Amino acid sequence: MRADILVVGGGLGGVAAALGACRAGKSVILTEEFDWIGGQLTSQAVPSDEHSWVEQFGITRSYRKLRSGIRQYYRDHYPLTEGARAWDDLNPGAGWVSRICAEPRVSLAVIEAMLMPYRGAGRLTVLQPYLPVAADVEGDTVRAVTLRQRDTGRQVTVTADYILDATELGDLLQMTGADYVKGFEAQSDTGEPSAPPVAQPDNVQAVSICFAVDHVDGDQTIDKPENYDYWRRYQPEFWGGPLLGFTAPHPRTLEFTTRSFTPNVEDDPLAVDADQRKGGGDENLWIFRRIAARRNFRPDFYASDICLVNWPMIDYMDGSIIDVSEAEKARHLKAAADLSYSVFYWLQTEAPRLDGGQGYRGLRLRGDITGTEHGLAMAPYIRESRRIKPVTRIVEQDLSYAVRGAKGAMHYRDSVGIGMYRIDLHPSTGGDNYIDVPSCPFEIPLGALLPQRMKNLIPAGKNIGTTHITNGCYRLHPVEWNVGEVAGMLAAYCLEKGLSPHQVQEEDGPLHDFQRALGREGIEIRWPDVAAY
């Protein structure tokens, strides 16, 4: 097969890359290894993590269209209460983690609808479920990528002028021989205040396998998971108690904090204030990542709220899945699933209740919500990828509020987007506790999307030129989307102008022309005057 641009990986970055390139009139092949496109928002079942000004500014126009489309889908198809229907910034789940918490299938439907015109016009071809298995590289140029159909083993080779790596783990970086890093860089290399003295390439953030639950009448208890006893005894030394428990470190203070858990709490969804400046919102785990608040809908339409379990206790710290054998990767992912099943079983049978009892036997796995028969999310939630060795590396001192203060984050001449989130690193495979650092609203430099050596390979997700530390704030939903959208537009611009990506970044004329093109497509590249948090 042949296209102008090949996008490997159909997560948020890959989808946005395809949209950006298709809008520019280029032919695109987009591939995805799971049954759903959308990555974090759909197959990984993670409600959107976003900054506090998201309803006013700080995201791309197309990402705003995605968010608006999700809200409109509920208005068009769901029996909302009058109050919820009149809520301009409708939050269907009324979760405290985000101003828009929604069921994964709704997000999927809207994403599919955004791509549909380009598929109908023959401009976009989606290969699914396909994963990359080999690359044809000549010098510093990727000529083609071979992909395998996940279920049948059928292989197809795709040639393209530009290859965009939007995989969750930066698979094409390893496959093409591109220069990349992984894990924790050394302080002597990056100068970062939070970095260790020696590099730790196998020390990466925990993988999590999320799942959705509700609480209904009857005993819904599952069979005891085969490794439940192992996980029941598991206790990281910095945790403050067993991993299967409501006590864990507070990400921002590291003080031991005990969360509450009350299924179907009698709250007012219209009163939820999902403002990350005021805290993480995880004090009550039931409403923390709730994706369907029953009181937003006609009485008795939902038998229960639905909440998404992406909590500290499902973070899998026993090993990395980057640059290991397929067998070892499979072993770790199975163990991560075992942990998630064990957390669910513990909630059903042993979790302390406010009335002094143990367990919530009415808790039910909602695999129908996550699109699986096994009950968990379709795909693992990957926080950290391989990362290119870039033209411009983004380091902690570029945006840390402790370092930058009132100056704000670094201004880049080649900014191609903006983002905001605290540096939020989960416990890691190297035994580290949370690393949580206040951030200044930051920019995305084009140089962070450019490998030092490869000419036509562009990262389009979490594999840009961050460090282990700055990945903690550049990995969130709207930033990944912005990165992907710019990657797709950059490839299209280079084809149109006969320039290389590096020429666009290096030369003021093409750079400013490209930045103006981004502005016309609704991509903001500078922040207004807003404060860090």
Side-chain angles (χ1 to χ4, degrees):
M1 300 180 69
R2 162 81 194 169
D4 294 327
I5 298 166
L6 168 64
V7 182
V8 181
L12 288 176
V15 167
L19 282 170
C22 286
R23 283 199 312 261
K26 303 307 174 188
S27 62
V28 178
I29 293 175
L30 172 68
T31 78
E32 169 55 33
E33 66 173 293
F34 291 98
D35 293 338
W36 291 355
I37 56 174
Q40 292 189 65
L41 203 54
T42 60
S43 61
Q44 297 174 31
V46 182
S48 53
D49 291 304
E50 299 168 341
H51 59 74
S52 295
W53 304 286
V54 67
E55 304 299 347
Q56 290 79 42
F57 46 77
I59 55 177
T60 77
R61 181 192 298 155
S62 64
Y63 188 78
R64 189 173 302 283
K65 183 179 179 181
L66 168 63
R67 298 175 84 255
S68 299
I70 291 169
R71 287 174 169 144
Q72 192 60 44
Y73 194 98
Y74 277 92
R75 293 190 177 99
D76 289 345
H77 301 290
Y78 280 69
L80 297 169
T81 64
E82 289 186 12
R85 189 171 296 279
W87 188 3
D88 286 343
D89 298 334
L90 172 64
N91 190 344
W96 285 85
V97 73
S98 171
R99 297 187 190 278
I100 183 166
C101 295
E103 296 174 41
R105 284 185 188 275
V106 174
S107 301
L108 175 66
V110 176
I111 289 171
E112 291 278 14
M114 293 175 74
L115 293 177
M116 197 62 68
Y118 303 108
R119 298 180 77 165
R123 195 174 294 176
L124 172 66
T125 300
V126 180
L127 298 179
Q128 190 179 11
Y130 277 79
L131 62 159
V133 292
D136 177 12
V137 181
E138 183 178 316
D140 297 333
T141 301
V142 184
R143 297 298 185 190
V145 176
T146 298
L147 304 122
R148 184 181 70 233
Q149 212 280 355
R150 184 194 63 198
D151 302 324
T152 67
R154 175 181 178 267
Q155 292 194 353
V156 58
T157 297
V158 179
T159 59
D161 295 302
Y162 281 91
I163 312 294
L164 275 53
D165 183 356
T167 61
E168 297 296 325
L169 291 171
D171 293 333
L172 290 189
L173 304 186
Q174 187 273 335
M175 208 168 286
T176 61
D179 300 316
Y180 68 89
V181 295
K182 58 179 181 174
F184 225 147
E185 293 92 345
Q187 190 177 77
S188 59
D189 175 22
T190 66
E192 294 174 303
S194 302
V198 178
Q200 301 169 2
D202 294 320
N203 187 4
V204 299
Q205 288 188 76
V207 168
S208 299
I209 299 184
C210 305
F211 55 94
V213 299
D214 62 6
H215 189 272
V216 294
D217 293 336
D219 187 343
Q220 308 292 330
T221 309
I222 64 171
D223 294 337
K224 181 179 177 180
E226 59 178 303
N227 292 311
Y228 181 72
D229 293 335
Y230 171 80
W231 292 114
R232 189 66 188 84
R233 294 189 303 267
Y234 193 95
Q235 182 171 333
E237 61 181 22
F238 54 80
W239 205 253
L243 187 64
L244 303 195
F246 292 138
T247 298
H250 188 285
R252 299 186 184 182
T253 67
L254 302 186
E255 295 175 345
F256 299 142
T257 304
T258 300
R259 280 85 169 176
S260 63
F261 179 73
T262 309
N264 290 319
V265 60
E266 299 295 330
D267 70 326
D268 177 6
L270 301 183
V272 168
D273 182 14
D275 188 340
Q276 292 298 304
R277 289 171 293 189
K278 300 176 181 179
D282 61 346
E283 290 80 7
N284 186 322
L285 292 171
W286 181 264
I287 58 176
F288 175 37
R289 293 183 180 271
R290 183 173 53 186
I291 56 175
R294 69 193 189 285
R295 290 188 165 192
N296 268 336
F297 305 94
R298 189 182 68 216
D300 301 324
F301 186 74
Y302 277 81
S304 165
D305 293 344
I306 303 172
C307 74
L308 213 293
V309 176
N310 178 18
W311 307 339
M313 63 182 76
I314 70 165
D315 285 356
Y316 176 78
M317 299 173 248
D318 269 4
S320 170
I321 59 172
I322 298 176
D323 289 348
V324 297
S325 68
E326 286 300 316
E328 186 172 355
K329 180 180 178 181
R331 179 176 65 82
H332 285 310
L333 290 177
K334 181 185 183 303
D338 288 343
L339 170 58
S340 293
Y341 283 126
S342 295
V343 168
F344 179 65
Y345 183 76
W346 178 85
L347 289 169
Q348 289 183 312
T349 60
E350 295 192 65
R353 301 197 310 256
L354 293 178
D355 63 7
Q358 285 188 312
Y360 297 89
R361 295 186 178 273
L363 284 177
R364 179 174 59 170
L365 273 179
R366 292 296 303 271
D368 56 322
I369 294 295
T370 55
T372 65
E373 294 183 3
H374 55 63
L376 305 180
M378 185 177 294
Y381 175 29
I382 307 294
R383 296 181 173 90
E384 186 172 340
S385 170
R386 301 175 181 90
R387 303 179 297 279
I388 62 166
K389 288 187 177 181
V391 170
T392 305
R393 182 169 61 177
I394 304 163
V395 294
E396 180 182 1
Q397 54 271 33
D398 288 350
L399 53 100
S400 163
Y401 181 65
V403 176
R404 302 287 302 180
K407 292 185 298 185
M410 178 82 71
H411 286 294
Y412 302 104
R413 61 173 280 279
D414 61 340
S415 175
V416 291
I418 56 178
M420 174 60 195
Y421 211 73
R422 290 172 68 94
I423 293 174
D424 171 23
L425 295 172
H426 279 238
S428 66
T429 57
D432 288 319
N433 204 338
Y434 289 97
I435 297 175
D436 192 285
V437 178
S439 301
C440 302
F442 54 81
E443 298 173 356
I444 306 168
L446 180 57
L449 277 67
L450 302 182
Q452 292 176 358
R453 182 174 55 82
M454 303 299 285
K455 294 178 179 177
N456 70 332
L457 177 67
I458 305 174
K462 293 184 284 288
N463 51 353
I464 64 170
T466 59
T467 63
H468 172 83
I469 293 173
T470 56
N471 160 265
C473 58
Y474 276 76
R475 65 178 171 82
L476 285 308
H477 299 62
V479 181
E480 182 186 346
W481 183 279
N482 190 322
V483 166
E485 189 169 6
V486 168
M489 291 180 65
L490 176 64
Y493 182 86
C494 289
L495 285 171
E496 196 71 30
K497 302 294 185 179
L499 298 169
S500 72
H502 292 78
Q503 285 177 298
V504 176
Q505 192 269 342
E506 292 165 359
E507 300 173 15
D508 286 346
L511 173 64
H512 296 157
D513 187 49
F514 181 59
Q515 289 172 321
R516 286 191 292 270
L518 297 179
R520 289 192 294 271
E521 291 296 334
I523 296 175
E524 301 170 32
I525 65 172
R526 307 290 180 202
W527 277 100
D529 186 15
V530 290
Y533 63 84

